[in-house]
């Protein structure tokens, strides 16, 4: 029986866990890996919307035998007909249970996931979308680009200094401007500067996610420099440098 007190809380909240089985592992780059899972019951009636994410329960051997921890990952390539979905893992150098699990993932392995969907969508009258973050936000950015209507402009800004970025998966969407920003100084500083320098765009909506200090650098730019109120921007911390999720 997997151990973790949070599983008890989620049971009380009636958030179910779903079994999933690894069916394929694909490396886009040595540090960006897609793991495909079979989960027919989960995906058959799934309401898929941009940035939809799940909690993946991964073994956490450092916390004891049978202990599992939950980590957030974004659903990509959901295929109800095939009964599959995938998660894209940034394989980071510092050890963590999810990254460690993904490094050794192989077909046939079984895990559990839980969904707590918080619906997100574009406000009425959106004419242009700005998507920003680090590479952990790339899966979510790709889901945005699949959903943004063709008449809406989209621009992507990603701060990253990995090598081999050309191999990464990107949703092919006409007219989307992609900009990769090299990290300079504190995390998020170069990204915030680049976003601040964008030309004004009427009807703009902005979304940003990634490491905490990166998001903290971008958030005031969206609010103060681009003048976007709460209805026209959304930001989320995905991970914290130097700190395990727990
Ligand atoms: C809603 C949501 C969606 C997310 N979607 C994705 C996704 O699709 N793909 C994805 O890769 N991540 C995604 N993340 C981020 C992912 O959950 C974290 O990176 C998580 O910390 C990884 O867990 P871990 O067990 O490997 O490391 P942890 O045990 O949490 O951390 C161990 C150490 O690794 C460091 N670390 C964690 N992540 C990174 C990283 N990416 N780069 C460098 N160092 C890191 C920590 O700072 C810490 O020092 C998402 C997070 C949220 C909340």
């Amino acid at each position: 029986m997997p151990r973790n007190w949070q599983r008890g809380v989620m049971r009380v909240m009636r958030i179910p866990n779903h079994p999933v089985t690894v069916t394929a592992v694909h490396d886009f780059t040595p540090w960006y890996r897609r793991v495909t899972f079979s989960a027919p019951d989960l995906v058959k009636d799934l309401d898929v919307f941009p940035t939809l994410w799940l909690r993946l329960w991964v073994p956490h051997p450092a916390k004891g035998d049978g202990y599992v921890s939950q980590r957030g990952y974004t659903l990509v390539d959901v295929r109800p007909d095939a009964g599959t979905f995938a998660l894209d893992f940034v394989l980071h150098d510092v050890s963590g249970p999810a990254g460690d699990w993904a490094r050794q993932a192989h077909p046939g392995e079984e895990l559990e996931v839980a969904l707590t969907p918080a619906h997100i969508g574009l406000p009425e009258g959106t004419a242009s979308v700005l998507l920003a973050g680090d590479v952990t936000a790339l899966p979510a950015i790709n889901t945005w680009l699949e959903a943004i209507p063709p008449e809406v402009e989209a621009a992507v800004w990603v701060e990253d200094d990995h090598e081999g970025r050309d191999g990464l998966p990107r949703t092919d969407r006409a007219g989307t401007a992609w900009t990769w920003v090299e990290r300079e100084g504190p995390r998020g500083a170069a990204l915030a500067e680049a976003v601040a320098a964008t030309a004004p765009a009427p009807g703009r909506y902005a979304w940003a996610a990634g490491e905490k200090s990166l998001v903290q650098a971008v958030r005031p730019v969206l609010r103060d420099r681009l003048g976007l109120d709460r209805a026209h921007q959304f930001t989320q911390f995905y991970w914290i440098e130097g700190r395990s999720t727990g």
Side-chain angles (χ1 to χ4, degrees):
M1 184 69 180
R3 291 195 296 119
N4 184 323
W5 62 267
Q6 289 165 322
R7 290 172 69 89
V9 174
M10 287 170 70
R11 215 170 14 251
V12 171
M13 293 169 72
R14 296 185 188 279
I15 299 169
N17 290 314
H18 303 269
V20 299
T21 306
V22 177
T23 59
V25 175
H26 173 76
D27 287 334
F28 287 97
T29 74
W31 48 270
Y32 194 97
R33 166 169 285 193
R34 176 164 295 179
V35 179
T36 302
F37 297 87
S38 170
D41 289 346
L42 176 68
V43 298
K44 74 173 186 289
D45 298 318
L46 192 59
D47 177 19
V48 180
F49 53 86
T51 77
L52 175 65
W53 60 281
L54 52 68
R55 296 164 201 273
L56 180 70
W57 291 103
V58 285
H60 201 159
K63 292 204 169 188
D65 239 13
Y67 196 92
V68 287
S69 288
Q70 53 173 324
R71 295 290 186 267
Y73 283 90
T74 307
L75 287 97
V76 295
D77 199 22
V78 180
R79 297 177 188 233
D81 293 347
T84 62
F85 71 91
L87 303 177
D88 285 352
F89 292 83
V90 176
L91 302 176
H92 49 93
D93 295 335
V94 189
S95 173
D100 295 350
W101 177 83
R103 276 182 196 283
Q104 63 75 58
H106 52 272
E109 245 182 305
E110 295 175 359
L111 289 184
E112 285 184 317
V113 302
L115 282 174
T116 47
H119 221 287
I120 190 167
L122 295 179
E124 195 80 8
T126 301
S128 113
V129 178
L130 187 157
L131 304 165
D134 59 25
V135 272
T136 62
L138 180 62
I141 288 171
N142 280 328
T143 65
W144 267 119
L145 295 177
E146 281 163 18
I148 296 171
E151 67 277 12
V152 174
E153 279 178 23
V156 177
W157 299 82
V158 182
E159 181 178 293
D160 181 59
D161 47 14
H162 283 96
E163 293 195 351
R165 291 189 306 244
D166 289 348
L168 291 173
R170 295 197 216 172
T171 299
D172 186 16
R173 181 183 178 278
T176 304
W178 285 79
T179 309
W180 295 90
V181 179
E182 292 292 330
R183 184 174 162 190
E184 272 173 45
R187 209 177 268 282
L191 182 65
E193 202 179 305
V195 169
T198 56
R204 182 182 257 167
Y205 174 83
W207 178 93
E211 199 279 328
K212 182 179 177 185
S213 41
L214 175 143
V215 173
Q216 283 175 328
V218 171
R219 194 183 271 163
V221 172
L222 302 182
R223 189 186 55 221
D224 305 331
R225 184 68 178 256
L226 305 189
L228 301 175
D229 63 22
R230 276 163 168 259
H232 291 88
Q233 55 143 311
F234 181 87
T235 58
Q236 186 169 7
F237 303 153
Y238 272 9
W239 61 284
I240 304 176
E241 181 148 41
R243 195 186 310 167
S244 171
T245 310

